[in-house]
Amino acid sequence: MDLATVWFVLVAVLWVGYLALEGFDFGVGMLTRGFARGDRERRVLINTIGPVWDGNEVWMITAVGATFAAFPEWYATAWAAYYAPLVVILMSLIVRGLAFEYRAKHDTERWRRWWDRAIFWGSAVPAFTWGVLLAGFVQGLPLDGRHDFTGGLADIVTPYTMLGGAVTVVLSLLHGAHYVALKTVGDIRLRARALAGRLAAPVALLAAGFAGWTLLDRDGGPMSWLAWLGGVGLVVALIAGRAAIVQRSEGWAFTASFTAMVFFGVVLFASLYPNVLPSTTDVGGLTIANAASSDYTLTVITWVAVPFVPLVVAYQTWVYWMFRRRIGVQHIPSP
Amino acid sequence: MDVVDLARWQFGITTVVHYFFVPFTISMAFLVAIMQTMWMRTQDERWLRLTKFFGKLLLINLAVGVVTGLVQEFQFGLNWSDFSRFVGDIFGAPLAMEALLAFYLESVFVGVWIFGWGRIPPKIHLATIWVTAFATLLSAYFILAANSFMQNPVGYEINEEAGRAELTDFGAVLTNKVTLVTFPHTIFAAFMVGGAVVAGVAMWHLVKGRREPTAAEPGAPSDAITFRHALRIGAVAVLIGGVGAAVSGDLQGKVMTEVQPMKMAAAEALYDTQQPAPFSLFTVGSLDGSQALYSIEIPYLLSFLSTGSFQGEVQGINDIQQEYEQLYGPGDYTPNIPATYWTFRLMVGFGGLAAAIAAWQLWSTRRGRVPTSVWALRATVVLPFLPLAANTFGWVFTEMGRQPWLVFGLMPTASGVTPGSTAGGVFATLASFTVLYAGLTVLWVWLLAKHARPGLPDVSAEARWGRSSAGEDGSSAGDAAAGSGDDDAADRPLTFAY
């Protein structure tokens, strides 16, 4: 495997890590509306992800930074093409991040209501839009000879990418429900379990539909065996998660939806390989080979990534262990 | 306005606003870490109260700094995709390393710090704020290394076939002489921001408490002593930052004269080469800066600033322009002179004024004194904004002074813009970002003021937690609190929650 391929794998791992981690905190954010009963429960939900959401989001920042360093052409073409949806994502993530920190910093009903909206929409909108954009990588975009995007929004918003967005939202929601069941005590935990049980079948159906569409459309690629494995794994993991939550094994249910997110990423990136952004015209497609940085640059960043990626995983895991205790309404201090 | 101008405004506005929060975070993280360390060492509750009080301001600021930083990671691709293609092989590496080495550390450990109060061993908790603080420095270094490449490209070669600059020596990029002088300058200047916030807020409470003793909250006398500690720390930080920024800025001027002489000439609006060259403090001139009508000048000073010698020759704009025409072909190689001239002076002026106020604060509060005039009160309110303005003008100067280059000598700004982008499209996002960022800035000032106004917080819960494991190896209390949860403490409310 050459270094450029190693970096394709690493970028994929970073995106998959992002989906699997921020996926559940997006899910928790969406559960603050409708699911949570009253302000105290909403605060329970927010506090389950309070110490960790920011670290989860860095997976995306790093994925983007790694793309810039290892595949400047991919970075340049993709973000210029995805301009409008990206601005929507960025603005949503801005208000969401502020909402967590600012919600409790002023004590009026109206203030909290606005930040609650920010948390809900700031979680749902990026989850959906990232799904659209990642599916868009697989689908491809109209590019010209120098890899510039020549299309419009209609080339990004297609039935396939919309399904990708929807699957990301429902997977996040299920993942979030498992996380809440795992991290809370009391009534909220029971309801999270029940909700996860009800969500499992429709989520599996949608996910299977998306995986099937991707696999049939992209069959014959050099890594299609892995993509197939991912598709099957995705559905199996969702079924296993449903079995676990019925058995009240919340840890296993969370592990299952985490794995489902990973397999969802595997479907996407294995179908994409060896492209990074295929063109829907005859020219301009970006591949691992023609989008990559020079060997020297790849060597330098590899030397940095080899020790530091495992280190990041280690200390982030430690933080989850540190905050492993469940919380419930009784733990929420009065404002 | 064309696409290039709009794209520049968008980058400028989003980055300048982001940089309101960055120096605040860097310096305040260290100042809060120092306060918490003092508490751990002395077990004196006053330090704990200061830690919690200024820690809250740090978090209000950090949140908005983090979220506006998200935009930075993408915006080289949004409007500047040809720039990203051309320098990505070099420029991407420090950005990726910033994320991997620094931003993870900062984001993960600040979460532990925020939620760790009362839940994890106090010594580990203290370590997390130090880790966060050092991560901000590391972050700054990588970002400045990337920026310095744009000021003074090093460690690369042009690959004609691929049409891009490629990295040949990463060590050279990290030890770019511009980075080496810009990093200390940036960090010293950052310390003026946090120091000014601490000193301003602390002295506001002191003066307010003395002016309106009836309005003071219960326990005010001890608050006054505590705020006096904070005032000292803050004012000293401003002074050290000020002196450091001046000294490093002087070194920076000499490097700039060497690698970007046009920027130095533009800073002084020096059209003709002079030896020795004076420094003008203030000029009334025609709007385009081409003609001086009235000017206060200090002889020899510019020569000294640029070359280190009072007799040194300083190249003028016209000579450099001619030289560049020969080197790079016909074109206008001068930046916007009034902008560079004035931003340079505003940077120095606001920074100097902040240092002067900090010195006055120390003098006027010596040996238990507290000034009570309304001007003293006003000065404390103004103080935090001065270094912030100096930081902003410094960046506007250095980035506008690089124009018309995007990457000095290699890529003109206009060539870096995303091909096919339309003025209407960029205007729409520029307007959206401007409205959102204006809202964020107002919210930020309002929330900071709101939380700076009340007296020091009650910290009995944190103090108990700190004491319970003092003297031991600092693990028992935290382990009990973080444990499986069927002990007595299981249903106690969290010490901190959103």
Side-chain angles (χ1 to χ4, degrees):
Chain A
M1 207 158 46
D2 63 340
L3 275 183
T5 308
V6 170
W7 275 85
F8 176 79
V9 174
L10 188 59
V11 168
V13 166
L14 291 165
W15 277 113
V16 166
Y18 178 62
L19 289 171
L21 291 170
E22 184 128 288
F24 71 74
D25 71 51
F26 280 152
V28 172
M30 290 187 266
L31 290 173
T32 54
R33 181 162 271 207
F35 173 78
R37 290 182 187 154
D39 191 55
R40 267 189 121 70
E41 280 203 1
R42 213 165 290 132
R43 290 183 68 194
V44 171
L45 292 187
I46 295 169
N47 280 289
T48 60
I49 56 171
V52 296
W53 72 268
D54 194 6
N56 295 347
E57 203 159 283
V58 183
W59 283 79
M60 180 262 286
I61 306 274
T62 309
V64 174
T67 308
F68 198 177
F71 303 101
E73 289 281 346
W74 187 10
Y75 175 94
T77 301
W79 305 146
Y82 284 161
Y83 201 132
L86 258 186
V87 169
V88 171
I89 288 179
L90 292 172
M91 290 189 167
S92 311
L93 291 178
I94 286 174
V95 295
R96 176 182 192 260
L98 283 186
F100 293 132
E101 190 59 46
Y102 285 6
R103 192 182 178 280
K105 293 279 189 286
H106 180 64
D107 191 21
T108 70
E109 198 51 48
R110 218 173 109 221
W111 174 265
R112 277 195 293 272
R113 208 166 45 235
W114 275 104
W115 291 122
D116 284 342
R117 285 187 191 124
I119 289 173
F120 177 80
W121 291 107
S123 302
V125 170
F128 180 78
T129 315
W130 275 129
V132 169
L133 300 190
L134 291 174
F137 285 150
V138 178
Q139 166 201 268
L141 296 171
L143 305 176
D144 65 15
R146 62 188 300 280
H147 313 303
D148 281 318
F149 180 59
T150 56
L153 212 52
D155 297 292
I156 297 167
V157 182
T158 64
Y160 173 74
T161 61
M162 298 298 277
L163 183 59
V167 169
T168 312
V169 169
V170 294
L171 275 175
S172 299
L173 203 57
L174 177 69
H175 199 22
H178 286 162
Y179 183 76
V180 172
L182 179 64
K183 295 291 292 179
T184 58
V185 285
D187 187 46
I188 197 165
R189 173 185 182 184
L190 302 180
R191 278 188 290 123
R193 238 191 247 155
L195 176 71
R198 281 200 305 279
L199 279 174
V203 173
L205 217 62
L206 263 180
F210 177 79
W213 190 341
T214 309
L215 295 168
L216 294 176
D217 209 44
R218 295 282 143 186
D219 201 19
M223 278 293 177
S224 60
W225 63 270
L226 183 60
W228 277 100
L229 196 71
V232 174
L234 170 59
V235 176
V236 170
L238 288 171
I239 295 170
R242 154 90 203 188
I245 203 75
V246 171
Q247 298 289 318
R248 300 178 187 178
S249 332
E250 289 133 347
W252 285 112
F254 178 73
T255 309
S257 54
F258 191 99
T259 314
M261 274 294 196
V262 172
F263 279 128
F264 176 55
V266 168
V267 171
L268 290 170
F269 285 94
S271 305
L272 186 56
Y273 180 89
N275 299 303
V276 293
L277 184 51
S279 173
T280 53
T281 65
D282 332 335
V283 292
L286 285 172
T287 61
I288 291 174
N290 73 10
S293 282
S294 64
D295 271 340
Y296 176 72
T297 298
L298 292 173
T299 310
V300 168
I301 55 180
T302 304
W303 277 108
V304 175
V306 165
F308 282 98
V309 172
L311 183 69
V312 166
V313 172
Y315 65 68
Q316 216 169 6
T317 310
W318 172 77
V319 169
Y320 277 94
W321 175 249
M322 198 85 138
F323 290 97
R324 66 193 176 279
R325 203 177 133 195
R326 289 173 181 271
I327 57 172
V329 283
Q330 67 273 31
H331 299 110
I332 300 300
S334 309
Chain B
M1 268 200 273
D2 61 3
V3 171
V4 180
D5 290 327
L6 290 167
R8 283 183 63 197
W9 273 107
Q10 180 163 322
F11 203 99
I13 287 175
T14 49
T15 309
V16 162
V17 174
H18 176 58
Y19 207 77
F20 291 160
F21 317 126
V22 172
F24 191 128
T25 299
I26 294 174
S27 50
M28 199 60 112
F30 275 98
L31 294 173
V32 169
I34 290 168
M35 292 170 188
Q36 190 171 345
T37 307
M38 291 301 290
W39 169 57
M40 292 286 286
R41 291 177 69 103
T42 62
Q43 288 293 313
D44 181 342
E45 237 172 72
R46 283 193 300 229
W47 289 111
L48 176 58
R49 298 175 82 195
L50 286 176
T51 306
K52 294 291 285 182
F53 181 85
F54 287 107
K56 194 179 259 187
L57 302 189
L58 167 66
L59 295 181
I60 289 170
N61 173 74
L62 185 92
V64 62
V66 165
V67 296
T68 51
L70 287 172
V71 177
Q72 302 301 322
E73 195 74 20
F74 290 88
Q75 69 171 341
F76 304 101
L78 293 177
N79 282 329
W80 304 95
S81 66
D82 271 1
F83 164 79
S84 304
R85 289 192 174 114
F86 183 64
V87 297
D89 195 75
I90 303 144
F91 196 83
L95 256 61
M97 290 180 193
E98 189 249 359
L100 187 61
L101 272 64
F103 200 50
Y104 265 120
L105 271 183
E106 184 188 326
S107 300
V108 169
F109 284 96
V110 82
V112 180
W113 188 74
I114 296 172
F115 281 86
W117 289 103
R119 282 169 87 169
I120 64 173
K123 281 179 187 161
I124 292 181
H125 185 257
L126 176 64
T128 62
I129 187 73
W130 279 108
V131 170
T132 304
F134 278 106
T136 67
L137 281 191
L138 202 57
S139 225
Y141 196 88
F142 284 117
I143 297 304
L144 291 173
N147 178 267
S148 298
F149 180 82
M150 297 166 71
Q151 315 285 351
N152 178 41
V154 291
Y156 72 98
E157 64 184 20
I158 301 291
N159 179 339
E160 296 287 351
E161 195 192 339
R164 68 181 183 189
E166 289 184 352
L167 188 62
T168 57
D169 185 354
F170 192 59
V173 171
L174 288 184
T175 56
N176 190 336
K177 60 177 130 185
V178 176
T179 315
L180 296 181
V181 289
T182 306
F183 180 72
H185 188 63
T186 307
I187 300 306
F188 279 124
F191 268 89
M192 296 185 77
V193 175
V197 171
V198 172
V201 170
M203 186 148 172
W204 184 85
H205 280 281
L206 277 183
V207 177
K208 195 85 174 166
R210 187 65 65 96
R211 278 168 65 88
E212 303 162 19
T214 48
E217 298 187 7
S222 78
D223 273 17
I225 298 168
T226 311
F227 275 125
R228 200 172 276 276
H229 286 311
L231 168 63
R232 293 254 172 282
I233 290 181
V236 168
V238 174
L239 286 173
I240 293 175
V243 171
V247 172
S248 57
D250 179 59
L251 296 173
Q252 216 179 356
K254 286 163 182 70
V255 172
M256 198 202 306
T257 307
E258 192 187 327
V259 302
Q260 290 174 298
M262 184 62 103
K263 196 194 276 186
M264 195 66 201
E268 179 54 24
L270 183 76
Y271 279 86
D272 300 309
T273 301
Q274 286 192 40
Q275 182 185 16
F279 181 89
S280 71
L281 280 182
F282 182 81
T283 301
V284 180
S286 54
L287 261 186
D288 61 355
S290 62
Q291 210 184 347
L293 304 174
Y294 173 76
S295 175
I296 304 173
E297 292 185 340
I298 303 176
Y300 306 110
L301 184 58
L302 183 63
S303 286
F304 181 73
L305 291 177
S306 332
T307 65
S309 146
F310 286 104
Q311 293 298 332
E313 179 188 274
V314 181
Q315 276 190 295
I317 293 163
N318 295 333
D319 294 317
I320 304 170
Q321 167 70 25
Q322 275 181 2
E323 193 185 304
Y324 282 2
E325 276 177 37
Q326 296 194 343
L327 205 58
Y328 304 114
D332 183 1
Y333 296 96
T334 49
N336 182 328
I337 304 297
T340 47
Y341 179 88
W342 283 110
T343 48
F344 188 79
R345 272 148 195 78
L346 289 169
M347 168 185 78
V348 175
F350 280 120
L353 187 57
I357 292 183
W360 162 78
Q361 283 187 318
L362 289 177
W363 173 251
S364 66
T365 58
R366 69 192 184 282
R367 274 178 253 123
R369 269 167 245 228
V370 178
T372 54
S373 78
V374 68
W375 285 104
L377 200 60
R378 282 175 193 161
T380 64
V381 177
V382 171
L383 175 62
F385 294 96
L386 299 174
L388 209 57
N391 272 269
T392 302
F393 285 119
W395 273 111
V396 173
F397 164 71
T398 204
E399 295 300 289
M400 287 191 75
R402 193 189 60 232
Q403 304 301 325
W405 296 108
L406 186 46
V407 183
F408 183 83
L410 292 181
M411 181 178 234
T413 303
S415 327
V417 171
T418 301
S421 53
T422 61
V426 181
F427 181 79
T429 54
L430 167 61
S432 319
F433 276 120
T434 305
V435 170
L436 179 66
Y437 277 41
L440 297 184
T441 308
V442 171
L443 196 63
W444 170 69
V445 172
W446 177 76
L447 262 190
L448 286 175
K450 176 187 150 81
H451 287 276
R453 207 176 269 272
L456 294 166
D458 170 49
V459 291
S460 43
E462 289 90 342
R464 247 196 328 272
W465 161 72
R467 264 197 309 277
S468 64
S469 60
E472 303 161 37
D473 63 353
S475 59
S476 61
D479 282 353
S484 58
D486 33 31
D487 56 345
D488 289 346
D491 281 344
R492 201 187 294 147
L494 298 170
T495 311
F496 177 86
Y498 276 152

